[in-house]
Amino acid sequence: MKFLKIAILDMYDNRPNEGMRCILRLIRQAQTDGAALYFDIFNVRANAELPTLDYDIYISSGGPGSPLPSDEAWEQPYFALIDSIFAWNSIHVRKKHLLLICHSFQLVSRHLGVGTLSKRKSTSFGIFPITKTDAGHADPLFASLPAPFYAVDSRDYQVTEPDANHMADLGIKVLCLEKERPHVPLERAIMAIRFTPEIVGTQFHPEADGEGMLRYFLTDAKRQQIVQEHGEDKYNDMVRLLQDPDTIELTESVVVPTFLREAITALSIPEATLQPA
């Protein structure tokens, strides 16, 4: 039996969240085809905990706060880990696989200089349609999803103005964009990037599950918070979409499970049969 190790990078800074619950549930449900999955959780921002390169798969979560440069103790070691994963993959036939979600996506996009990272004029919070690019239509993570598909979006920052020449040099592809807003004279944010065949990031939350989030949103405390911050109409719209199996439930059933399945399949190939990088 093949033993595969997953490092979960918890970027929530000890804040209450649903993201970690969803990530752990998807890992426990992963179809392994005979491989045994083990995972460890690293509290990156609160405790400056980071894994070594002994892991096969890395999932770096969303989280609150600013992704702009800081002098916090975890930031440079975090980027050193990201760089080391890219460096490992450039010289080894058995690659490390990495999924970057929301806050982590913003951090790595800034680190690699793929576009402009900036604060939004207003918070994006809700369940929104996501548009696939031509590359996104062909990408295994999104190919089976409708166009557009729906996802949970919760952010104060955005990545826009992709540097096409720099991205071409690095082999980076934009997979998804923010919904079209013809009445808004602003550039659409990048919502997903394929950094390499093994490394992908999403601005939205592909781990969000409709059933669990609906249960959470129906609590008095969460309802009161959303209504107070975003209004009754926003709350009712999110509850409606969470009950629709063709929105969040569909996205949750495809993106992260496909990432895990692709990684597990690649890591299960005997190393002697793999071609050098």
Side-chain angles (χ1 to χ4, degrees), residues 203-274:
Q203 173 63 86
F204 59 89
H205 287 272
E207 79 281 16
D209 68 317
E211 180 183 356
M213 288 195 66
L214 178 62
R215 189 166 55 247
Y216 179 53
F217 275 39
L218 291 176
T219 63
D220 290 340
K222 190 61 178 177
R223 181 187 184 282
Q224 185 176 17
Q225 177 195 348
I226 295 174
V227 170
Q228 182 176 354
E229 295 178 4
H230 303 283
E232 186 85 32
D233 289 344
K234 171 67 73 174
Y235 175 81
N236 290 334
D237 186 56
M238 291 190 72
V239 168
R240 176 183 63 82
L241 289 168
L242 285 171
Q243 294 172 314
D244 184 344
D246 293 326
T247 59
I248 302 309
E249 185 177 329
L250 179 59
T251 301
E252 175 252 339
S253 72
V254 171
V255 179
V256 178
T258 302
F259 166 79
L260 290 171
R261 184 171 62 252
E262 295 269 319
I264 292 164
T265 298
L267 291 163
S268 298
I269 298 173
E271 189 163 348
T273 67
L274 297 173

Side-chain angles (χ1 to χ4, degrees), residues 108-164:
V108 174
S109 293
R110 166 170 68 84
H111 182 60
L112 295 179
V114 301
T116 300
L117 176 63
S118 61
K119 190 172 176 59
R120 288 175 53 87
K121 292 184 179 296
S122 61
T123 299
S124 178
F125 178 77
I127 298 170
F128 299 113
I130 307 293
T131 301
K132 294 189 281 187
T133 64
D134 289 344
H137 278 282
D139 194 273
L141 259 62
F142 303 107
S144 65
L145 288 172
F149 64 93
Y150 284 80
V152 171
D153 188 22
S154 177
R155 59 194 166 92
D156 290 314
Y157 292 82
Q158 62 183 358
V159 180
T160 57
E161 301 175 334
D163 185 334

Side-chain angles (χ1 to χ4, degrees), residues 70-88:
S70 77
D71 57 0
E72 295 182 23
W74 61 270
E75 184 166 309
Q76 290 310 312
Y78 176 81
F79 288 133
L81 171 66
I82 299 300
D83 289 341
S84 68
I85 292 173
F86 276 92
W88 172 282

